[in-house]
Amino acid sequence: MAELFIGIVSGAVGLGYIVYGRKQQRFAPLICGISLCAYPWFVHSAVWLCVIGAALAAAPWLADF
């Protein structure tokens, strides 16, 4: 059940990053948003979902490429 909830939350945050990246024409939030929407399909551990999700959510703020 935790994996489902984390997947829904990361998908919502990812969608927000996609919209923000497209409107601002910024590459980093767009790629992180796509990744946040896709990674729960491949990772099935709640711990790793949280770790990867936190890293992807923080990436546009830490490194602007």
Side-chain angles (χ1 to χ4, degrees):
M1 191 60 137
E3 292 88 1
L4 178 64
F5 179 72
I6 295 168
I8 291 171
V9 170
S10 69
V13 172
L15 182 62
Y17 273 158
I18 290 170
V19 170
Y20 174 75
R22 289 187 67 190
K23 284 192 181 255
Q24 298 296 322
Q25 296 179 348
R26 297 185 66 201
F27 188 67
L30 182 65
I31 295 301
C32 287
I34 293 169
S35 300
L36 276 167
C37 289
Y39 88 96
W41 292 348
F42 305 107
V43 180
H44 301 291
S45 169
V47 173
W48 282 110
L49 282 170
C50 289
V51 170
I52 295 170
L56 286 173
W61 299 103
L62 297 177
D64 193 346
F65 52 90

